[in-house]
Amino acid sequence: MAGKAIIPRLDWLKDYGGRALAKDGIAGLILSILLVPQAMAYAQLGGLPPQTGLFAAMTPPVLYAIFGTSQYVSVGPVALVSLIVAEASGAIGGDAMSVVTIIAIEAGLMLFLVGAIGLGRLVNFVSEPALLGFTAAAAVLIAASQLPTLLGLETEREGDLPGAIAGLWRGLPSLDLPTTLVGGAALVLLVLINQFAAPLLWKIGVRPPWRQALAKSLPFLVIVGAAVAATYIGGEIAKVSAIEPGLPSMPSLGAASMWLALAPSSLAVAIIVFVTATAVAKSLAGSDRSGLDTSREAVALGAGNFVAALTGGYAVGASLSRSALVEESGARSPIASVVAALVVLATILFLAPLLAYLPRTALAALVISAVFGLIKPRAIRAVWRHDRIEALIIAVTFAATLLFGVRLGLAMGAAAGVIHFLWFSSVPRVTRIGSDDGGASFRSVDRDDVEIITLPVLGIRIDRSIYFANAEFVEEQIFKLMNRHDELECIVLDMRSVNSVDASGLAMLRRLVERLELADMSVHFAETHAPVLDKLRKLDPGVCHFHRTVGEAVQSCGVSLDEVNDDEVGIWPR
């Protein structure tokens, strides 16, 4: 219902007690160990000061706790959004903070509006193959964008892979060896930790919630170790910019022309945030998704983005790795993420000077190691086995994102998915049906190796709803199948798979009935759903007849199924 999603969802507080608070407190502290360095690293990915990522990690979890529907989802800076923000900032120019603030506000308003009017189901319009191709390509772009920082190079930020490779090649002569050694060592350790730490801890007997807590704490130790190594080596290795203790000030909001220019980037952010956050919430909901409301998710994410913009942050999304950590750490409610946000606030207020010792190359290594999770080879292989055309959508989206950047890549991938659906639905299967059990059931003649036992009555099944894009094709197929048989007297249309008929479909059926009437044939509709039946009753009642089953329709045409079997002369060859 429109408007329902904007009502705060606080019913989970009814049974909330001290034990749950203790568990959430522990989970929140564990989450903060991963959240603080990730927030700074993703801000660096977006070309922003490190404190921007920390500010973005403070207020959105509070808004999600009020409006969201998952007790585990961790809202804050994420790699995909940071990449889009970086591309938009580079393309528009001007003050980066103004750009990212406008994007967060516009994306937040879009998401809030979608949720407020109850259109959360729009999340389904980005197909799974398009999302797989996009995220895999985005992972490559993110890694490519962070390689110069990892190697100590100063290069122009590019939004596509050819530009990133060209910039990296031009900068290689100025490669800084100490920076490369620290960053490379950090990257190797982080990749090994991500791959083997959790399984190894399980083998030695460490169980949840401590298994993931320890596994996710190790990257923090790697970053600290890199800071110590960089300090020991000397001043050649670039550190993050100093963070001033205190709370943020409101940035300039720019001119109206900038708001219009950033609208496509904001839309891309809104789509990515909504699709990925919903996927994260679903993956952590297990078998019981009854409490998951996509419209509420949109409102929570929209409110979180809007408030993040007003508190010095930038656009945020849901992190699968952090959310999974919250779940395995034993969290009982969204309070766990709020506790982590409070730790981030304390870090800004009291530990800001220490953060200036972190080397930028180590944060780049953290980003690169984290984005490997965006590439899902198992899911891609499953799509390949399922449907080669949908696998092609993955390839098209992947290539488009690498060549043209994240905004165009996402748009082309979504368009490819919609085009595939429209084409698939415009050529529905229209097949003759027969029986091998004396008329008890009717199945496709071409697929199930059954015979037509009803002639001169021909049964035809339409396997999709009839609408403007496929009505003419359905009509052509029906007459093509009819032309394969002589002296037909009656046509039975099996409508069990037709869930709707629009005005174009009804007009087509009216033409069909009129043509068959001129040929002295009657039309019998079988197994028609009630909403469709109400529309079909507008057709000529003198020619059209409606029946509960295909068998009843066939017998009403004068064929006695009780007397027909597969060995009789009446069977026609297929």
Side-chain angles (χ1 to χ4, degrees):
M1 184 179 68
K4 182 181 178 181
I6 64 176
I7 300 173
R9 190 191 68 88
L10 300 173
D11 54 305
W12 52 271
L13 285 173
K14 295 178 181 177
D15 301 321
Y16 196 75
R19 180 174 296 181
L21 179 60
K23 289 182 177 293
D24 285 339
I26 294 173
L29 291 173
I30 294 171
L31 172 62
S32 65
I33 296 173
L34 180 62
L35 178 59
V36 170
Q38 270 198 358
M40 298 176 66
Y42 291 148
Q44 177 176 286
L45 169 61
L48 302 168
Q51 64 264 29
T52 309
L54 296 174
F55 292 149
M58 290 193 308
T59 53
V62 179
L63 273 297
Y64 188 87
I66 295 173
F67 294 103
T69 57
S70 173
Q71 59 194 27
Y72 305 123
V73 166
S74 172
V75 178
V78 291
L80 281 176
V81 172
S82 300
L83 182 63
I84 298 174
V85 165
E87 181 183 298
S89 182
I92 296 295
D95 179 41
M97 283 307 303
S98 296
V99 170
V100 301
T101 300
I102 292 172
I103 290 176
I105 291 175
E106 287 185 332
L109 291 176
M110 292 176 189
L111 289 168
F112 192 89
L113 180 62
V114 165
I117 59 180
L119 292 180
R121 61 185 178 276
L122 290 177
V123 68
N124 300 318
F125 278 81
V126 179
S127 68
E128 180 71 11
L131 191 59
L132 287 172
F134 173 78
T135 54
V140 175
L141 289 177
I142 290 169
S145 72
Q146 292 300 288
L147 276 177
T149 305
L150 185 80
L151 302 175
L153 307 178
E154 293 293 334
T155 62
E156 292 284 336
R157 182 179 292 274
E158 301 289 345
D160 55 73
L161 186 60
I165 293 175
L168 182 63
W169 180 258
R170 290 191 299 267
L172 277 179
S174 60
L175 181 145
D176 184 74
L177 185 58
T179 301
T180 303
L181 289 176
V182 172
L187 178 59
V188 171
L189 289 174
L190 288 168
V191 171
L192 291 175
I193 288 170
N194 289 342
Q195 188 72 24
F196 301 112
L200 183 60
L201 289 170
W202 183 275
K203 286 184 178 180
I204 64 177
V206 181
R207 296 292 184 262
W210 305 113
R211 181 178 74 106
Q212 279 289 62
L214 290 174
K216 295 303 181 182
S217 298
L218 293 176
F220 177 77
L221 296 180
V222 171
I223 300 299
V224 172
V228 173
T231 303
Y232 178 78
I233 289 173
E236 298 97 345
I237 300 177
K239 311 292 197 305
V240 300
S241 56
I243 298 177
E244 294 293 333
L247 298 178
S249 58
M250 183 67 185
S252 169
L253 295 182
S257 58
M258 183 178 289
W259 287 72
L260 291 174
L262 289 172
S265 297
S266 302
L267 178 60
V269 167
I271 292 172
I272 286 300
V273 167
F274 192 20
V275 172
T276 56
T278 304
V280 169
K282 287 180 178 179
S283 68
L284 297 176
S287 58
D288 181 16
R289 297 180 179 175
S290 58
L292 184 63
D293 186 330
T294 53
S295 293
R296 283 193 177 277
E297 290 294 301
V299 167
L301 295 165
N305 273 279
F306 187 82
V307 174
L310 301 181
T311 54
Y314 69 108
V316 297
S319 166
L320 177 58
S321 60
R322 296 198 303 264
S323 300
L325 176 60
V326 172
E327 180 191 32
E328 191 157 344
S329 298
R332 291 293 180 267
S333 76
I335 293 295
S337 293
V338 175
V339 170
L342 292 175
V343 174
V344 172
L345 176 60
T347 301
I348 295 173
L349 294 177
F350 305 112
L351 301 177
L354 296 178
L355 299 177
Y357 289 98
L358 298 179
R360 296 180 62 202
T361 183
L363 294 182
L366 181 62
V367 171
I368 294 173
S369 66
V371 298
F372 286 121
L374 295 176
I375 304 175
K376 302 175 181 177
R378 183 178 299 177
I380 292 173
R381 286 195 298 268
V383 173
W384 172 263
R385 291 192 295 266
H386 171 70
D387 190 323
R388 296 293 193 270
I389 299 298
E390 292 197 274
L392 181 61
I393 293 174
I394 296 177
V396 167
T397 309
F398 182 82
T401 304
L402 291 182
L403 295 176
F404 305 116
V406 288
R407 289 177 298 173
L408 273 178
L410 177 61
M412 294 176 69
V418 172
I419 290 170
H420 171 256
F421 165 75
L422 291 176
W423 174 256
F424 180 71
S425 64
S426 70
V427 287
R429 188 162 175 257
V430 181
T431 182
R432 297 171 300 162
I433 54 177
S435 178
D436 59 1
D437 55 11
S441 64
F442 288 83
R443 294 174 290 142
S444 171
V445 168
D446 301 311
R447 184 177 179 88
D448 294 319
D449 195 29
V450 296
E451 303 291 343
I452 300 177
I453 63 173
T454 59
L455 293 174
V457 176
L458 179 63
I460 296 176
R461 192 180 73 223
I462 304 169
D463 282 346
R464 190 166 290 274
S465 295
I466 306 173
Y467 72 114
F468 66 92
N470 65 19
E472 185 175 345
F473 177 83
V474 170
E475 184 178 13
E476 291 174 356
Q477 291 301 110
I478 289 175
F479 281 104
K480 185 179 294 186
L481 295 177
M482 290 172 55
N483 290 336
R484 298 177 66 173
H485 303 278
D486 298 324
E487 300 179 356
L488 291 179
E489 298 177 359
C490 185
I491 301 298
V492 173
L493 294 180
D494 183 349
M495 303 286 283
R496 75 184 73 181
S497 299
V498 180
N499 294 315
S500 64
V501 176
D502 72 355
S504 299
L506 186 63
M508 180 276 291
L509 292 173
R510 184 175 289 110
R511 290 195 307 270
L512 174 70
V513 169
E514 291 172 353
R515 290 175 64 178
L516 294 179
E517 183 180 17
L518 292 175
D520 292 326
M521 282 189 277
S522 59
V523 183
H524 294 250
F525 294 92
E527 304 198 31
T528 309
H529 299 295
V532 177
L533 182 60
D534 292 339
K535 296 181 179 181
L536 297 189
R537 290 194 185 280
K538 300 174 184 178
L539 301 175
D540 187 351
V543 183
C544 299
H545 309 277
F546 303 96
H547 306 276
R548 187 172 59 87
T549 67
V550 174
E552 290 179 2
V554 169
Q555 295 196 71
S556 72
C557 293
V559 175
S560 178
L561 295 174
D562 295 334
E563 300 173 0
V564 176
N565 60 62
D566 288 350
D567 299 323
E568 291 194 10
V569 180
I571 298 177
W572 286 53
R574 290 185 290 120

mmCIF file with all atom_site columns, all heavy atoms in Angstrom, residues 541-553:
data_model
loop_
_atom_site.group_PDB
_atom_site.id
_atom_site.type_symbol
_atom_site.label_atom_id
_atom_site.label_alt_id
_atom_site.label_comp_id
_atom_site.label_asym_id
_atom_site.label_entity_id
_atom_site.label_seq_id
_atom_site.pdbx_PDB_ins_code
_atom_site.Cartn_x
_atom_site.Cartn_y
_atom_site.Cartn_z
_atom_site.occupancy
_atom_site.B_iso_or_equiv
_atom_site.pdbx_formal_charge
_atom_site.auth_seq_id
_atom_site.auth_comp_id
_atom_site.auth_asym_id
_atom_site.auth_atom_id
_atom_site.pdbx_PDB_model_num
ATOM 1  N N   . PRO A 1 541 ? -20.772 -15.217 -29.328 1.00 0.00 ? 541 PRO A N   1
ATOM 2  C CA  . PRO A 1 541 ? -21.204 -16.422 -28.605 1.00 0.00 ? 541 PRO A CA  1
ATOM 3  C C   . PRO A 1 541 ? -21.724 -17.512 -29.526 1.00 0.00 ? 541 PRO A C   1
ATOM 4  O O   . PRO A 1 541 ? -21.841 -18.668 -29.115 1.00 0.00 ? 541 PRO A O   1
ATOM 5  C CB  . PRO A 1 541 ? -22.306 -15.898 -27.672 1.00 0.00 ? 541 PRO A CB  1
ATOM 6  C CG  . PRO A 1 541 ? -22.835 -14.683 -28.362 1.00 0.00 ? 541 PRO A CG  1
ATOM 7  C CD  . PRO A 1 541 ? -21.668 -14.070 -29.083 1.00 0.00 ? 541 PRO A CD  1
ATOM 8  N N   . GLY A 1 542 ? -22.058 -17.165 -30.773 1.00 0.00 ? 542 GLY A N   1
ATOM 9  C CA  . GLY A 1 542 ? -22.535 -18.183 -31.690 1.00 0.00 ? 542 GLY A CA  1
ATOM 10 C C   . GLY A 1 542 ? -21.436 -19.080 -32.207 1.00 0.00 ? 542 GLY A C   1
ATOM 11 O O   . GLY A 1 542 ? -21.692 -20.180 -32.686 1.00 0.00 ? 542 GLY A O   1
ATOM 12 N N   . VAL A 1 543 ? -20.200 -18.605 -32.122 1.00 0.00 ? 543 VAL A N   1
ATOM 13 C CA  . VAL A 1 543 ? -19.061 -19.368 -32.631 1.00 0.00 ? 543 VAL A CA  1
ATOM 14 C C   . VAL A 1 543 ? -18.161 -19.852 -31.498 1.00 0.00 ? 543 VAL A C   1
ATOM 15 O O   . VAL A 1 543 ? -17.578 -20.922 -31.572 1.00 0.00 ? 543 VAL A O   1
ATOM 16 C CB  . VAL A 1 543 ? -18.248 -18.507 -33.628 1.00 0.00 ? 543 VAL A CB  1
ATOM 17 C CG1 . VAL A 1 543 ? -17.102 -19.320 -34.218 1.00 0.00 ? 543 VAL A CG1 1
ATOM 18 C CG2 . VAL A 1 543 ? -19.150 -17.968 -34.722 1.00 0.00 ? 543 VAL A CG2 1
ATOM 19 N N   . CYS A 1 544 ? -18.070 -19.049 -30.437 1.00 0.00 ? 544 CYS A N   1
ATOM 20 C CA  . CYS A 1 544 ? -17.150 -19.352 -29.333 1.00 0.00 ? 544 CYS A CA  1
ATOM 21 C C   . CYS A 1 544 ? -17.869 -20.120 -28.224 1.00 0.00 ? 544 CYS A C   1
ATOM 22 O O   . CYS A 1 544 ? -19.013 -19.801 -27.873 1.00 0.00 ? 544 CYS A O   1
ATOM 23 C CB  . CYS A 1 544 ? -16.569 -18.058 -28.761 1.00 0.00 ? 544 CYS A CB  1
ATOM 24 S SG  . CYS A 1 544 ? -15.639 -17.113 -29.967 1.00 0.00 ? 544 CYS A SG  1
ATOM 25 N N   . HIS A 1 545 ? -17.161 -21.096 -27.680 1.00 0.00 ? 545 HIS A N   1
ATOM 26 C CA  . HIS A 1 545 ? -17.684 -21.889 -26.581 1.00 0.00 ? 545 HIS A CA  1
ATOM 27 C C   . HIS A 1 545 ? -16.586 -22.039 -25.527 1.00 0.00 ? 545 HIS A C   1
ATOM 28 O O   . HIS A 1 545 ? -15.402 -22.059 -25.854 1.00 0.00 ? 545 HIS A O   1
ATOM 29 C CB  . HIS A 1 545 ? -18.129 -23.263 -27.086 1.00 0.00 ? 545 HIS A CB  1
ATOM 30 C CG  . HIS A 1 545 ? -19.049 -23.191 -28.266 1.00 0.00 ? 545 HIS A CG  1
ATOM 31 N ND1 . HIS A 1 545 ? -20.405 -22.992 -28.150 1.00 0.00 ? 545 HIS A ND1 1
ATOM 32 C CD2 . HIS A 1 545 ? -18.788 -23.267 -29.610 1.00 0.00 ? 545 HIS A CD2 1
ATOM 33 C CE1 . HIS A 1 545 ? -20.954 -22.967 -29.358 1.00 0.00 ? 545 HIS A CE1 1
ATOM 34 N NE2 . HIS A 1 545 ? -19.994 -23.124 -30.268 1.00 0.00 ? 545 HIS A NE2 1
ATOM 35 N N   . PHE A 1 546 ? -16.985 -22.176 -24.280 1.00 0.00 ? 546 PHE A N   1
ATOM 36 C CA  . PHE A 1 546 ? -16.019 -22.203 -23.178 1.00 0.00 ? 546 PHE A CA  1
ATOM 37 C C   . PHE A 1 546 ? -16.241 -23.459 -22.348 1.00 0.00 ? 546 PHE A C   1
ATOM 38 O O   . PHE A 1 546 ? -17.380 -23.813 -22.017 1.00 0.00 ? 546 PHE A O   1
ATOM 39 C CB  . PHE A 1 546 ? -16.157 -20.945 -22.317 1.00 0.00 ? 546 PHE A CB  1
ATOM 40 C CG  . PHE A 1 546 ? -15.979 -19.673 -23.110 1.00 0.00 ? 546 PHE A CG  1
ATOM 41 C CD1 . PHE A 1 546 ? -17.079 -18.982 -23.607 1.00 0.00 ? 546 PHE A CD1 1
ATOM 42 C CD2 . PHE A 1 546 ? -14.710 -19.187 -23.364 1.00 0.00 ? 546 PHE A CD2 1
ATOM 43 C CE1 . PHE A 1 546 ? -16.922 -17.835 -24.346 1.00 0.00 ? 546 PHE A CE1 1
ATOM 44 C CE2 . PHE A 1 546 ? -14.543 -18.023 -24.105 1.00 0.00 ? 546 PHE A CE2 1
ATOM 45 C CZ  . PHE A 1 546 ? -15.637 -17.348 -24.592 1.00 0.00 ? 546 PHE A CZ  1
ATOM 46 N N   . HIS A 1 547 ? -15.120 -24.101 -21.984 1.00 0.00 ? 547 HIS A N   1
ATOM 47 C CA  . HIS A 1 547 ? -15.196 -25.381 -21.274 1.00 0.00 ? 547 HIS A CA  1
ATOM 48 C C   . HIS A 1 547 ? -14.167 -25.414 -20.152 1.00 0.00 ? 547 HIS A C   1
ATOM 49 O O   . HIS A 1 547 ? -13.134 -24.741 -20.203 1.00 0.00 ? 547 HIS A O   1
ATOM 50 C CB  . HIS A 1 547 ? -14.937 -26.542 -22.236 1.00 0.00 ? 547 HIS A CB  1
ATOM 51 C CG  . HIS A 1 547 ? -15.831 -26.520 -23.446 1.00 0.00 ? 547 HIS A CG  1
ATOM 52 N ND1 . HIS A 1 547 ? -17.093 -27.053 -23.443 1.00 0.00 ? 547 HIS A ND1 1
ATOM 53 C CD2 . HIS A 1 547 ? -15.634 -25.989 -24.685 1.00 0.00 ? 547 HIS A CD2 1
ATOM 54 C CE1 . HIS A 1 547 ? -17.648 -26.879 -24.640 1.00 0.00 ? 547 HIS A CE1 1
ATOM 55 N NE2 . HIS A 1 547 ? -16.784 -26.227 -25.411 1.00 0.00 ? 547 HIS A NE2 1
ATOM 56 N N   . ARG A 1 548 ? -14.451 -26.251 -19.179 1.00 0.00 ? 548 ARG A N   1
ATOM 57 C CA  . ARG A 1 548 ? -13.574 -26.348 -18.017 1.00 0.00 ? 548 ARG A CA  1
ATOM 58 C C   . ARG A 1 548 ? -12.280 -27.067 -18.361 1.00 0.00 ? 548 ARG A C   1
ATOM 59 O O   . ARG A 1 548 ? -11.216 -26.699 -17.888 1.00 0.00 ? 548 ARG A O   1
ATOM 60 C CB  . ARG A 1 548 ? -14.296 -27.067 -16.881 1.00 0.00 ? 548 ARG A CB  1
ATOM 61 C CG  . ARG A 1 548 ? -13.529 -27.085 -15.558 1.00 0.00 ? 548 ARG A CG  1
ATOM 62 C CD  . ARG A 1 548 ? -14.402 -27.652 -14.459 1.00 0.00 ? 548 ARG A CD  1
ATOM 63 N NE  . ARG A 1 548 ? -14.835 -29.004 -14.789 1.00 0.00 ? 548 ARG A NE  1
ATOM 64 C CZ  . ARG A 1 548 ? -14.140 -30.109 -14.515 1.00 0.00 ? 548 ARG A CZ  1
ATOM 65 N NH1 . ARG A 1 548 ? -12.971 -30.006 -13.896 1.00 0.00 ? 548 ARG A NH1 1
ATOM 66 N NH2 . ARG A 1 548 ? -14.593 -31.294 -14.824 1.00 0.00 ? 548 ARG A NH2 1
ATOM 67 N N   . THR A 1 549 ? -12.328 -28.112 -19.162 1.00 0.00 ? 549 THR A N   1
ATOM 68 C CA  . THR A 1 549 ? -11.147 -28.886 -19.517 1.00 0.00 ? 549 THR A CA  1
ATOM 69 C C   . THR A 1 549 ? -11.068 -29.061 -21.032 1.00 0.00 ? 549 THR A C   1
ATOM 70 O O   . THR A 1 549 ? -12.058 -28.895 -21.750 1.00 0.00 ? 549 THR A O   1
ATOM 71 C CB  . THR A 1 549 ? -11.151 -30.269 -18.855 1.00 0.00 ? 549 THR A CB  1
ATOM 72 O OG1 . THR A 1 549 ? -12.234 -31.038 -19.418 1.00 0.00 ? 549 THR A OG1 1
ATOM 73 C CG2 . THR A 1 549 ? -11.328 -30.149 -17.342 1.00 0.00 ? 549 THR A CG2 1
ATOM 74 N N   . VAL A 1 550 ? -9.873  -29.453 -21.497 1.00 0.00 ? 550 VAL A N   1
ATOM 75 C CA  . VAL A 1 550 ? -9.686  -29.734 -22.918 1.00 0.00 ? 550 VAL A CA  1
ATOM 76 C C   . VAL A 1 550 ? -10.521 -30.946 -23.320 1.00 0.00 ? 550 VAL A C   1
ATOM 77 O O   . VAL A 1 550 ? -11.131 -30.974 -24.399 1.00 0.00 ? 550 VAL A O   1
ATOM 78 C CB  . VAL A 1 550 ? -8.191  -29.979 -23.219 1.00 0.00 ? 550 VAL A CB  1
ATOM 79 C CG1 . VAL A 1 550 ? -7.994  -30.418 -24.675 1.00 0.00 ? 550 VAL A CG1 1
ATOM 80 C CG2 . VAL A 1 550 ? -7.382  -28.730 -22.931 1.00 0.00 ? 550 VAL A CG2 1
ATOM 81 N N   . GLY A 1 551 ? -10.564 -31.951 -22.446 1.00 0.00 ? 551 GLY A N   1
ATOM 82 C CA  . GLY A 1 551 ? -11.350 -33.146 -22.757 1.00 0.00 ? 551 GLY A CA  1
ATOM 83 C C   . GLY A 1 551 ? -12.811 -32.825 -22.987 1.00 0.00 ? 551 GLY A C   1
ATOM 84 O O   . GLY A 1 551 ? -13.434 -33.330 -23.935 1.00 0.00 ? 551 GLY A O   1
ATOM 85 N N   . GLU A 1 552 ? -13.398 -31.973 -22.135 1.00 0.00 ? 552 GLU A N   1
ATOM 86 C CA  . GLU A 1 552 ? -14.795 -31.585 -22.310 1.00 0.00 ? 552 GLU A CA  1
ATOM 87 C C   . GLU A 1 552 ? -14.978 -30.822 -23.613 1.00 0.00 ? 552 GLU A C   1
ATOM 88 O O   . GLU A 1 552 ? -15.986 -31.012 -24.325 1.00 0.00 ? 552 GLU A O   1
ATOM 89 C CB  . GLU A 1 552 ? -15.244 -30.721 -21.130 1.00 0.00 ? 552 GLU A CB  1
ATOM 90 C CG  . GLU A 1 552 ? -15.370 -31.470 -19.813 1.00 0.00 ? 552 GLU A CG  1
ATOM 91 C CD  . GLU A 1 552 ? -15.788 -30.557 -18.686 1.00 0.00 ? 552 GLU A CD  1
ATOM 92 O OE1 . GLU A 1 552 ? -16.016 -29.357 -18.949 1.00 0.00 ? 552 GLU A OE1 1
ATOM 93 O OE2 . GLU A 1 552 ? -15.892 -31.034 -17.535 1.00 0.00 ? 552 GLU A OE2 1
ATOM 94 N N   . ALA A 1 553 ? -14.015 -29.959 -23.958 1.00 0.00 ? 553 ALA A N   1
ATOM 95 C CA  . ALA A 1 553 ? -14.117 -29.201 -25.207 1.00 0.00 ? 553 ALA A CA  1
ATOM 96 C C   . ALA A 1 553 ? -14.088 -30.134 -26.407 1.00 0.00 ? 553 ALA A C   1
ATOM 97 O O   . ALA A 1 553 ? -14.865 -29.963 -27.370 1.00 0.00 ? 553 ALA A O   1
ATOM 98 C CB  . ALA A 1 553 ? -12.978 -28.183 -25.284 1.00 0.00 ? 553 ALA A CB  1
#
